[in-house]
Amino acid sequence: MAALEILTAPDPRLHLKALPVEKVDRSIRKLMDDLLDTLYHKNGLGLAAIQAGIQKRVIAIDLGEREGITYKPFFMANPEIQWISSMTQKTTEGCLSLPNHFANVIRPFEIKVSYLDENNQKQALSAKGLLADCIQHEIDHLNGTLFIDHLSSLKRNLILSKLRKEKKHKGGL
Ligand SMILES: [Zn+2]
């Protein structure tokens, strides 16, 4: 396993639409392992391959321990949301591609999603709460959407201008 470099906004590669994988083979499984390794390394909850500049519909999620529930890490290739609840939730989201920026995002509270697991098996999952939020955030990445794209343009531009300044500062060192 190897930790991957993560792209940070603003970066046009984060807005590319990731392409479906034909089959979860050894190379995709290695990518899944690398994503999980990177996730642990960066202390995140979820990571999409596109955040490492790899244009494939693959994500890794591990919520760890939250509110007394221990979640297991899992992988999704070609995830597709099949159903969303009309009930919504507001969650404070962050993103490894928008380091140190957080904002409230409103999304459906519950979803049903189909995907291929690490053994190339079709799976269906019902998720709610934080897990549903995290899966939707990662699937957004596969479609070139960041959580700030759900905010007003005022809030989005404020975060982007801060990130631009931070990047400039880093580049100047
Ligand atoms: Zn993210």
Side-chain angles (χ1 to χ4, degrees):
M1 294 207 286
L4 305 165
E5 187 121 359
I6 295 180
L7 305 176
T8 56
D11 188 312
R13 289 170 291 177
L14 286 169
H15 298 293
L16 293 173
K17 206 172 148 82
L19 305 169
V21 303
E22 262 177 49
K23 187 181 174 217
V24 179
D25 55 13
R26 269 173 69 148
S27 74
I28 299 296
R29 267 197 296 276
K30 176 165 189 315
L31 172 61
M32 289 169 161
D33 283 342
D34 286 347
L35 288 174
L36 191 65
D37 205 30
T38 310
L39 193 61
Y40 291 152
H41 191 243
K42 298 276 185 184
N43 234 344
L45 303 181
L47 189 64
I50 198 84
Q51 290 177 272
I54 299 161
Q55 211 178 337
K56 293 188 192 311
R57 300 186 83 77
V58 177
I59 63 184
I61 292 177
D62 189 355
L63 299 186
E65 266 194 49
R66 316 234 143 215
E67 290 155 3
I69 304 168
T70 306
Y71 293 91
K72 279 187 192 153
F74 66 97
F75 306 103
M76 291 178 155
N78 303 345
E80 270 182 55
I81 293 177
Q82 304 292 349
W83 175 84
I84 55 170
S85 65
S86 53
M87 193 176 142
T88 57
Q89 60 181 337
K90 193 200 273 182
T91 313
T92 306
E93 293 190 18
C95 179
L96 294 175
S97 293
L98 299 145
N100 305 319
H101 291 278
F102 302 90
N104 288 329
V105 180
I106 295 168
R107 299 185 189 270
F109 173 71
E110 196 172 352
I111 59 167
K112 288 192 168 84
V113 61
S114 65
Y115 62 99
L116 291 174
D117 68 11
E118 66 276 23
N119 299 312
N120 199 46
Q121 297 297 307
K122 262 204 162 170
Q123 301 285 351
L125 175 73
S126 291
K128 54 187 172 183
L130 182 65
L131 184 59
D133 184 78
C134 189
I135 293 170
Q136 290 175 83
H137 175 119
E138 297 312 326
I139 292 177
D140 265 3
H141 274 302
L142 303 182
N143 296 321
T145 302
L146 300 173
F147 81 79
I148 53 169
D149 295 322
H150 292 277
L151 308 177
S152 68
S153 58
L154 190 73
K155 281 187 193 163
R156 179 169 59 246
N157 289 331
L158 193 68
I159 291 178
L160 281 173
S161 72
K162 279 185 189 161
L163 281 162
R164 254 185 223 111
K165 267 187 211 152
E166 282 162 21
K167 269 196 178 178
K168 239 191 204 166
H169 196 64
K170 261 191 214 160
L173 284 176

